[in-house]
Amino acid sequence: MAGEPAAAGDITGAASTSTVEGALAVLPGPRAEQPGLEHEWQRAVAAIVRAPVIDLICHINPDGDALGSALAAGLALRSLGHQVRVSFGDHPQVIPQSLSFLPGQELLVPAAEVPDVPELVVCFDVAAESRLGLLHDKAFAAPVLVVIDHHASNPGFGTHRLIDPAAPATAVLVDELLRRLGVPLDQQLATCLYTGVATDTGSFRYAATTPATHELAGRLLATGIRHDEISRQLWDTSSFGYLKVLAAALDRARYEPEQAGGRGLVWTWVPYQDLVLYSVTVEELEGLIDVVRRAAEAEVALVLKQDPDGTLRGSSRSRGAVDVAAACAELGGGGHVYAAGFAVREDVAAAVDRFRAALDRTS
C-alpha cells in the first residue's frame, strides 16, 4: 500500500528513482573546500586514481565512522575498476553486531592478507599510529600512505594528509573523496556514510554538527536509505547480556567531584570476566560511555574495558571545558576535545591515576 513504511530491517527502503533524483536536484552540494587542503586533495586523488590495487584500513576496534568510511571508499573504488581490500589491525577481526548491516563487508580481509609492502594504503579515522594495530608496519612500508581523518590530535603521519579537524566525521571527508572521484551516491554508499556521520555526531547531537552536516545527511537520505532502521541498529538494539554488563558497570561507577580541576570525574570499568560471564564482546560496549557521561555532576566521564590479554581500552568524554584529547594523548591515545580514547597495559588503579594526573595538567 502506498505510504506504508518499509519492512523492519530493510535499511535501504524503496524510494523511486524519480523521487530520489528530484530530491537530489534541490539539495545543496558537497561541503565547502577546506582551506589549505586543496593541494593535498589533488595529490591524494591523483595517487589513488593511478593505483590498480588499494588497501583501505581503519583503526582497531572500528566504530561506525571508521568502518563505514572504509567500506564506502572500498565500494566506490571497486566500482571504478580498482582491486580493493578493506582491513583493520585486530586479530581476530570482530565486526560489532550494531554494524553488521553495513554493505561492502565482502571486501574485508584479515590483517594477515594485507601485503607486507602494499602499493597504496588509505587509512580512515586513525588518530594515532598506535591505532593501526597489526597493520602499523605494513601501512608505513607502503610508498604511498594516504591519511583521511578528522581528529585534531592526529600528529600528521603518512605521505598524503587529508586531516580536517573541522569535519564532524571522517565520513564527511569520504563524501568529498567520492565527489572528486566522480562516484555518484547510491543506497549502499549512503548507508555507510550516514552510519559514519551519525555515529560521530551522536545522532547529530554533538557540537561539531553544522548546517553542512545536515545538508549532507539530506543528500544521503535522498537516496532512499532507512535512517530509522540504521539508528535502531546503532543505538537501540543490544543483547540481554549487555544489559547485565551495563548494570554491573554502573554499580561499579565512581564520582570524584575534586577531579578535572574541580569540575568532576565519573568513571567505571568492565573486567573481561564480565564479558565472558554474559557472552558479550568488547565491541558491544561502545555505547557504555554515553550512559556514564549522563551524570550531570561530572564534566568528564571515563570507561575502561578490559581485553582478554589484560589491555585496558579507555573511552572518555567531556562537556567541553576540559580537553580529553590532550589527556588521552599523555596515555598514548588521542581524539577530540569532547571525545577521546587510549589503550594501556596496566591495572585499573594505575590507569585511572594516570588519567587523573593528565586531567590535572590539561584542566
Side-chain angles (χ1 to χ4, degrees):
M1 179 182 295
E4 282 189 344
D10 180 4
I11 300 296
T12 58
S16 69
T17 301
S18 59
T19 300
V20 171
E21 290 178 347
L24 287 171
V26 299
L27 284 166
R31 67 195 300 267
E33 303 291 350
Q34 304 88 42
L37 278 184
E38 180 57 31
H39 180 60
E40 283 294 290
W41 270 114
Q42 292 178 10
R43 292 179 62 238
V45 171
I48 289 170
V49 168
R50 288 194 301 266
V53 182
I54 302 175
D55 286 280
L56 309 171
I57 64 178
C58 58
H59 62 67
I60 54 177
N61 295 308
D63 60 4
D65 192 25
L67 190 59
S69 294
L71 291 175
L75 289 167
L77 290 168
R78 184 177 66 178
S79 74
L80 294 176
H82 297 269
Q83 180 183 335
V84 296
R85 289 180 290 254
V86 179
S87 189
F88 54 95
D90 288 312
H91 180 74
Q93 288 181 341
V94 178
I95 303 300
Q97 182 62 33
S98 61
L99 300 178
S100 61
F101 65 90
L102 284 175
Q105 293 188 44
E106 68 277 6
L107 300 174
L108 283 167
V109 302
E113 292 188 19
V114 175
D116 289 340
V117 184
E119 179 179 342
L120 185 148
V121 171
V122 186
C123 70
F124 301 88
D125 206 44
V126 180
E129 295 178 24
S130 60
R131 299 284 283 161
L132 290 168
L134 297 174
L135 289 171
H136 176 277
D137 292 349
K138 295 182 177 185
F140 278 86
V144 179
L145 174 57
V146 180
V147 176
I148 301 180
D149 187 30
H150 71 126
H151 293 94
S153 63
N154 191 302
F157 62 92
T159 62
H160 300 64
R161 306 177 185 97
L162 300 173
I163 302 169
D164 182 9
T170 295
V172 172
L173 300 176
V174 176
D175 174 65
E176 176 68 10
L177 174 64
L178 269 54
R179 183 184 73 84
R180 290 171 179 267
L181 292 172
V183 178
L185 289 174
D186 61 20
Q187 290 186 353
Q188 287 195 324
L189 293 172
T191 296
C192 291
L193 294 178
Y194 187 90
T195 297
V197 174
T199 296
D200 266 29
T201 61
S203 193
F204 307 93
R205 292 178 293 125
Y206 297 163
T209 304
T210 67
T213 313
H214 287 289
E215 290 169 0
L216 170 57
R219 288 193 288 114
L220 299 175
L221 292 179
T223 65
I225 60 173
R226 288 291 306 275
H227 66 283
D228 55 332
E229 289 290 343
I230 293 173
S231 297
R232 186 172 298 113
Q233 289 280 347
L234 290 176
W235 293 289
D236 296 335
T237 303
S238 62
S239 66
F240 180 71
Y242 168 77
L243 299 181
K244 301 292 284 185
V245 172
L246 172 63
L250 293 179
D251 188 55
R252 237 178 253 121
R254 297 292 179 266
Y255 167 55
E256 300 176 357
E258 72 282 2
Q259 298 300 324
R263 296 181 177 90
L265 165 68
V266 59
W267 67 275
T268 189
W269 74 292
V270 179
Y272 181 65
Q273 290 88 336
D274 279 11
L275 304 185
V276 174
L277 179 62
Y278 297 113
S279 299
V280 172
T281 65
V282 69
E283 290 77 20
E284 290 183 71
L285 303 182
E286 184 70 28
L288 177 56
I289 184 65
D290 292 316
V291 179
V292 176
R293 71 192 291 265
R294 294 178 187 175
E297 297 87 348
E299 165 68 23
V300 177
L302 171 69
V303 171
L304 296 171
K305 298 159 285 188
Q306 189 179 50
D307 283 349
D309 65 358
T311 297
L312 290 174
R313 301 187 184 276
S315 297
S316 64
R317 297 291 186 271
S318 166
R319 297 186 185 278
V322 174
D323 184 353
V324 290
C328 288
E330 293 197 25
L331 281 79
H336 309 282
V337 171
Y338 295 94
F342 60 87
V344 293
R345 291 293 298 274
E346 55 195 30
D347 62 35
V348 172
V352 176
D353 280 345
R354 288 181 61 199
F355 187 73
R356 292 190 190 103
L359 284 179
D360 287 342
R361 289 187 286 271
T362 56
S363 299

